[in-house]
Amino acid sequence: MKYETFNPKRHDILKVASLIYDVDFRTFDLFFRDKNKAVKAISKSIADEDLDTFKVILDDENNIIGILIYYISKFPKKFYIKSFRLFLIDLLDYFVLCDVGEGDLYIADVAIDESMRGQGLGRKVLEDVINHAKSRKLNRVILDADFRNIKAKNLYEKIGFKEFNKKRVKIGKFERGMYNMELKL
């Protein structure tokens, strides 16, 4: 398993967009009602991404088996204007995601291809990120666990993350909430 900075000209953008969709499929489904429409919109929004902290995870044959997106000491308040629906999702995120401070490494997305899950790859990615944060002498690693994804929250707690906040937004019958979690280094 190796990490490579995402390059939309070189990597399968639909595969990457599909992995991003997998991370938050419930919210994407609410706004798009169709996985293909959501993946297409995500593809357009990442077509010009140029972030050193947006990684594809590759196997030994250079096949994409996952993604990792993280930020250090800041969370870009960039809203996707290319799609009104993605803009609304970003707006919801603004109210429920961790506040990233100086000395924080924020894990925005980790997704492992469905065919590769259950092999400890997600845990390995998290451990690699934690080691990277330690090598940079950062204060903590933070991430969010959706209220509806208890399996992910349990994995984070097994690794040592602790809940430090809960945020939620409710609009009519729709509710989105996150456990904000931290691992102090």
Side-chain angles (χ1 to χ4, degrees):
M1 181 171 81
K2 58 187 172 186
Y3 303 92
E4 201 171 277
T5 300
F6 171 64
N7 181 336
K9 292 175 180 71
R10 200 169 76 244
H11 298 113
D12 181 346
I13 197 164
L14 288 175
K15 172 73 172 184
V16 171
S18 183
L19 288 164
I20 292 170
Y21 166 87
D22 287 349
V23 171
D24 198 12
F25 68 91
R26 293 173 189 95
T27 304
F28 286 118
D29 285 351
L30 175 72
F31 285 98
F32 289 92
R33 302 207 189 312
D34 178 82
K35 178 180 180 174
N36 292 328
K37 288 180 184 175
V39 168
K40 185 177 178 182
I42 295 165
S43 296
K44 286 181 182 176
S45 75
I46 63 173
D48 58 357
E49 283 295 322
D50 187 22
L51 283 176
D52 185 43
T53 58
F54 185 164
K55 306 292 184 187
V56 291
I57 305 166
L58 305 170
D59 65 12
D60 294 335
E61 287 82 42
N62 289 323
N63 297 310
I64 297 172
I65 59 170
I67 59 153
L68 166 66
I69 303 171
Y70 65 95
Y71 303 98
I72 297 177
S73 297
K74 63 183 182 225
F75 184 76
K77 300 298 183 206
K78 168 178 128 179
F79 291 105
Y80 290 108
I81 305 302
K82 294 177 185 176
S83 166
F84 181 67
R85 292 176 179 148
L86 289 179
F87 169 77
L88 292 175
I89 292 169
D90 281 348
L91 190 60
L92 285 175
D93 283 349
Y94 178 79
F95 293 106
V96 297
L97 299 182
C98 289
D99 296 319
V100 181
E102 194 65 36
D104 291 341
L105 185 148
Y106 173 69
I107 301 173
D109 288 321
V110 173
I112 301 298
D113 185 89
E114 191 172 13
S115 68
M116 303 294 290
R117 292 181 192 153
Q119 299 177 32
L121 297 174
R123 175 184 282 274
K124 172 76 171 112
V125 170
L126 292 171
E127 289 169 352
D128 289 348
V129 172
I130 292 165
N131 288 332
H132 177 69
K134 286 178 180 176
S135 75
R136 297 205 46 181
K137 305 213 181 319
L138 297 173
N139 300 326
R140 64 184 184 153
V141 176
I142 58 176
L143 51 76
D144 299 293
D146 191 296
F147 286 171
R148 301 164 293 191
N149 194 346
I150 299 305
K151 191 174 179 181
K153 184 175 186 271
N154 290 339
L155 170 64
Y156 303 148
E157 288 174 337
K158 284 179 188 172
I159 292 172
F161 285 87
K162 304 229 182 295
E163 179 186 325
F164 70 92
N165 197 11
K166 282 189 224 179
K167 293 183 181 179
R168 73 182 195 124
V169 62
K170 188 171 182 172
I171 303 167
K173 291 183 179 184
F174 173 77
E175 181 178 6
R176 179 141 192 241
M178 297 287 181
Y179 298 103
N180 301 151
M181 303 185 76
E182 69 181 352
L183 177 69
K184 293 182 180 179
L185 304 176

